[in-house]
Amino acid sequence: MKITFLGHAALSIDFNDTKLLIDPFISGNEMASGKIDIDTLDPDYILVTHAHQDHILDVEAIAKRTGATIVSNYEIATHYGNKGLKAHPMNHGGNWNFDFGRLKYTQAIHTSSFPDGSYGGQPGGFVLQADGKRLYIAGDTALTMDMKLIPAEGPLDMAILPIGDNFTMGIDDAVIAATFLECDQILGYHYDTFGYIEIDHQRATETFDKAGKKLHLLNIGASLSL
Ligand code: NI
Ligand code: MN
């Protein structure tokens, strides 16, 4: 399984013949310009954690071009379904066996309005079980006790956690989250894109090191293998 960081909270997760795209916010991300071309992305599925602009900006264009199925909460899936796009609705706590593996839509403490202010359901994250791996994609969220429930279903190979603070968990809470998740391999995301979420990379990696955990920070376009 290959995880590629596309900037901000956007990821591509590739395994076998499946490509998952997560929260594509690329064309509006100055840090990704010249590094990621959305027209080269060819996902089978687009996973959307919540309706904020910095997570959905490129969903429609990519789904229209590729025919990818959008997987999100009921309200977001319905929003895109009404536009004639393929969509699979989920809600918190629900699992579904897709052709590539299993997804669970998990709780997140955040908000989820669309850019025009319309209702985007409740925000979430995903647990992905595929290719013999188990991965938690937290979405935008505060540290929450509910994270303790996730490893109760089985150990995680990696947790992808927001670390930018202000709108989500910061570094210190993300270390506690990693403890709750019983996971030592963390990929940080949702940092540096805007002034509010700039982080000190050295302090971030050192804070995780001290807790006996590994924080991966990828350059935009870089990948890691699981
Ligand atoms: Ni958000
Ligand atoms: Mn966000």
Side-chain angles (χ1 to χ4, degrees), residues 8 141 161-171 174 188-200:
H8 194 53
T141 183
L161 303 178
I163 56 170
D165 223 332
N166 191 72
F167 296 116
T168 68
M169 293 187 281
I171 292 155
Y189 75 167
H190 211 276
Y191 63 92
D192 283 358
T193 320
F194 324 112
Y196 287 123
I197 60 172
E198 280 172 16
I199 64 160
D200 178 336

Side-chain angles (χ1 to χ4, degrees), residues 125-147:
F126 293 95
V127 174
L128 166 66
Q129 284 183 80
D131 196 26
K133 307 289 180 197
R134 188 181 184 85
L135 199 69
Y136 173 51
I137 304 156
D140 285 9
T141 183
L143 173 64
T144 152
M145 292 292 280
D146 291 330
M147 290 170 177

